[in-house]
Amino acid sequence: MKILMVCLGNICRSPMAEGILRHLAHQRGIDLIVDSAGTADYHVGEAPDARARAAMMRRSISIEDLRGRQVALQDFTYFDMVLAMDNNNLRDLLRLAPNDEGRRKVELMLTLASTMGMREVPDPYYGPDSGFDDTYHLLENACNGLLDAIAHR
Ligand code: 4NP
C-alpha cells in the first residue's frame, strides 16, 4: 500500500502526516510506503517548518530530512491513496488528476479516520505555535484510524 499525504505547501501538515503515519505503521508492523507533497510550489526543496519539526521532535519523531515537493502527475498512478488535508487541497487534486482512476484515489484525509468531529485538517501556518500541537493530535488520531481501516481490509 502506497499513500501520499497532500497539503498546500508541503512544509506543515503533510510532512507531519507523513512522519506520523510512517512511525505508527512501523510500530504496528504494517508495511507502507508513505510520502507527501504540496499542491503549490512555494516551498519546493525546503525542510518542514521549524514549528512542525519541533512539534514532532516533542514526540521523538524526526521529519528533519524531508524536503518539500509539488504533486506530480505520476503520483496519481504510483500511489494507491492520495489524501488531502482540506477541501482546497481536495479540489486542486481532483482538478489535477489525469483520469478517473487517479480521481478515485483522492480523498479527504479525515474521511477515512476517526477525527474528533472534524472534516478538515486546519492550516496551522499563520497561527500560534500551539496550533502545531493541535495538528499533531488531529493527525495522530486520523493516522490511527487510517491504519485500523487498512488492517481490516
Ligand atoms: P501547509 O501549510 O500547507 O500545511 O504546508 C502552509 C505552508 C505554507 C503556506 C501556506 C500553508 N504558504 O502560504 O506559504
Side-chain angles (χ1 to χ4, degrees):
M1 176 80 62
K2 302 191 275 288
I3 299 178
L4 183 67
M5 300 294 193
V6 178
C7 62
L8 176 62
N10 192 210
I11 54 167
C12 298
R13 292 165 291 176
S14 63
M16 290 179 74
E18 176 184 349
I20 293 166
L21 185 62
R22 186 174 290 130
H23 176 80
L24 294 174
H26 181 77
Q27 276 189 342
R28 292 193 194 200
I30 296 175
D31 203 16
L32 282 187
I33 289 174
V34 190
D35 195 8
S36 65
T39 57
D41 64 359
Y42 314 142
H43 299 284
V44 170
E46 293 179 21
D49 187 284
R51 298 164 296 173
R53 287 186 275 138
M56 297 291 285
M57 284 313 290
R58 285 196 280 281
R59 283 86 187 179
S60 302
I61 304 173
S62 172
I63 54 170
E64 310 287 318
D65 293 342
L66 303 185
R67 293 295 178 267
R69 74 167 178 94
Q70 192 171 22
V71 177
L73 276 185
Q74 314 86 267
D75 290 329
F76 295 97
T77 309
Y78 179 75
F79 290 96
D80 301 302
M81 289 184 183
V82 179
L83 300 180
M85 296 296 133
D86 66 28
N87 282 317
N88 285 334
N89 309 148
L90 181 72
R91 182 202 59 208
D92 291 341
L93 285 168
L94 290 173
R95 213 178 264 162
L96 200 61
N99 51 36
D100 285 343
E101 191 196 340
R103 277 183 288 274
R104 274 195 294 275
K105 297 176 176 181
V106 178
E107 294 183 71
L108 273 179
M109 170 74 181
L110 298 188
T111 300
L112 285 161
S114 57
T115 60
M116 315 180 215
M118 296 184 64
R119 299 185 53 87
E120 300 182 87
V121 182
D123 188 347
Y125 188 66
Y126 295 106
D129 284 14
S130 62
F132 286 79
D133 286 318
D134 299 337
T135 302
Y136 180 89
H137 289 300
L138 186 55
L139 287 173
E140 182 184 52
N141 209 285
C143 287
N144 272 316
L146 181 59
L147 288 170
D148 290 343
I150 289 170
H152 292 119
R153 287 221 297 203

